[in-house]
């Protein structure tokens, strides 16, 4: 079974697929040690670890370097967050995806928003859906199979008529050939249940303070749960707090 098929099957199991979001080899190895079924990169965590802001501020070559190191260090299926695709055309984006697939990557995330003047906005769903379809067509023509998880940012941006806007977009993304749908910042149980009924695609939600527990998410039909960049932030907050304690106490005893 190919890595792509194995990864795709994980979205059809009874329990949701818990994705450990990684930013380097160390974090990937921890999730492998904890017997996770799959991992995915966090673009924000990788960007911050390399001194960039999120939103395609780092060059794609840096993404490839990190991804290749992670892939060579663990055996888990790996999905890569490519943000807006690191390209302006379907051909450019597809070339990037093919490069990742040749490294053994099982899937990608691509977003339907963009950043303009430091403000994130939703893309027009019609040309974006057309772009997705073109990407899917080129991949199919070249015999490339990779799981395309489309991140819809309607809840993240809290747009008016969120459910209606989301439903309209998901229908278009389904028709364009997406394999999965990712809705960061959706947290209300009723909203999640509604979306599950409105799409045939496996729904991916993300770690948020108000997100229902895993058992509840399973009952209402969620198929994938991501951690985002939150554990990355937690790790470095813990580093700062411990270092502060060491300096305050003028001792390393608290560390051990």
């Amino acid at each position: 079974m190919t890595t792509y098929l194995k990864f795709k099957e994980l979205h059809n199991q009874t329990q949701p697929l818990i994705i450990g979001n990684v930013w380097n080899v160390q974090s990937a190895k921890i999730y492998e040690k904890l017997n996770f079924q799959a991992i995915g990169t966090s673009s924000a965590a990788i960007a911050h670890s390399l001194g960039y802001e999120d939103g395609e501020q780092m060059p794609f070559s840096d993404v490839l370097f990190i991804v290749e190191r992670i892939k060579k260090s663990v055996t888990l299926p790996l999905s890569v967050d490519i943000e807006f695709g690191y390209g302006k055309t379907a051909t450019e984006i597809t070339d990037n995806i093919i490069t990742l697939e040749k490294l053994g990557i099982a899937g990608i995330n691509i977003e339907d928003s963009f950043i303009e003047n430091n403000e994130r906005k939703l893309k027009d769903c019609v040309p974006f859906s057309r772009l997705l379809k073109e990407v899917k067509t080129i991949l199919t023509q070249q015999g490339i199979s990779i799981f395309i998880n489309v991140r819809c940012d309607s809840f993240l941006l809290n747009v008016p008529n969120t459910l209606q806007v989301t439903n309209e977009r998901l229908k278009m993304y389904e028709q364009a050939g997406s394999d999965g749908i990712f809705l960061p910042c959706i947290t209300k149980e009723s909203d999640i249940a509604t979306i599950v009924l409105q799409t045939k695609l496996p729904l991916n939600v993300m770690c948020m303070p108000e997100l229902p527990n895993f058992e509840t998410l399973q009952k209402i039909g969620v198929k994938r749960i991501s951690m985002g960049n939150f554990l990355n932030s937690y790790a470095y907050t813990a580093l700062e707090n411990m270092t502060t304690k060491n300096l305050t106490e003028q001792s390393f005893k608290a560390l051990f």
Side-chain angles (χ1 to χ4, degrees):
M1 183 184 297
T2 64
T3 305
Y4 157 73
L5 288 175
K6 180 180 178 181
F7 188 61
K8 190 172 185 178
E9 275 196 358
L10 292 174
H11 292 75
N12 296 315
Q13 58 190 1
T14 303
Q15 293 185 329
L17 170 63
I18 312 296
I19 292 279
N21 286 111
V22 302
W23 59 95
N24 60 14
V25 170
Q26 286 173 298
S27 54
K29 284 187 172 182
I30 287 173
Y31 289 123
E32 186 168 57
K33 181 181 178 181
L34 293 174
N35 295 318
F36 272 63
Q37 293 178 300
I39 53 177
T41 62
S42 163
S43 64
I46 291 177
H48 294 160
S49 70
L50 295 178
Y52 298 98
E53 291 301 315
D54 194 22
E56 283 195 14
Q57 298 301 302
M58 59 183 165
F60 190 62
S61 58
D62 283 5
V63 178
L64 286 177
F65 173 76
I66 297 292
V67 167
E68 187 170 15
R69 294 307 310 147
I70 292 171
K71 189 70 187 78
K72 287 181 176 179
S73 302
V74 296
T75 59
L76 296 174
L78 173 62
S79 180
V80 174
D81 182 352
I82 63 169
E83 304 190 72
F84 319 128
Y86 285 88
K88 294 182 178 179
T89 67
T91 300
E92 290 173 350
I93 293 171
T94 306
D95 285 345
N96 292 335
I97 294 173
I98 290 173
T99 299
L100 291 168
E101 194 273 342
K102 288 179 179 177
L103 293 178
I105 303 309
I108 57 102
N109 274 18
I110 188 167
E111 305 164 10
D112 71 351
S113 62
F114 66 104
I115 295 176
E116 183 178 67
N117 298 324
N118 295 318
E119 182 183 358
R120 186 177 286 272
K121 303 175 183 178
L122 280 182
K123 294 178 179 177
D124 185 324
C125 58
V126 175
F128 179 70
S129 298
R130 191 181 302 124
L131 175 77
L132 285 176
K133 191 168 185 177
E134 290 177 21
V135 167
K136 187 76 174 184
T137 298
I138 297 171
L139 291 173
T140 301
Q141 289 173 346
Q142 298 200 28
I144 303 293
S145 296
I146 194 165
F147 192 97
I148 299 177
N149 201 38
V150 178
R151 193 182 104 176
C152 176
D153 282 347
S154 49
F155 278 89
L156 184 149
L157 295 173
N158 195 27
V159 300
N161 304 311
T162 316
L163 274 174
Q164 180 183 341
V165 169
T166 303
N167 186 37
E168 291 171 354
R169 286 175 173 263
L170 299 198
K171 286 180 179 177
M172 297 184 75
Y173 302 163
E174 272 187 39
Q175 293 171 359
S178 305
D179 295 293
I181 291 294
F182 179 25
L183 292 178
C185 299
I186 188 172
T187 56
K188 282 182 62 177
E189 188 174 333
S190 58
D191 287 346
I192 297 170
T194 298
I195 293 295
V196 167
L197 292 175
Q198 289 176 340
T199 180
K200 299 175 183 177
L201 300 177
L203 176 62
N204 179 184
V205 299
M206 184 180 73
C207 162
M208 292 295 290
E210 303 85 8
L211 189 72
N213 63 31
F214 297 171
E215 182 181 0
T216 301
L217 292 173
Q218 177 183 337
K219 286 179 179 177
I220 57 180
V222 168
K223 291 298 184 181
R224 175 166 162 175
I225 305 170
S226 298
M227 296 178 174
N229 69 317
F230 295 104
L231 281 168
N232 170 270
S233 299
Y234 182 88
Y236 289 104
T237 298
L239 169 64
E240 181 181 354
N241 290 341
M242 178 54 70
T243 304
T244 300
K245 190 174 180 67
N246 295 154
L247 294 174
T248 300
E249 298 178 353
Q250 291 290 285
S251 168
F252 290 117
K253 287 184 178 179
L255 187 58
F256 301 99

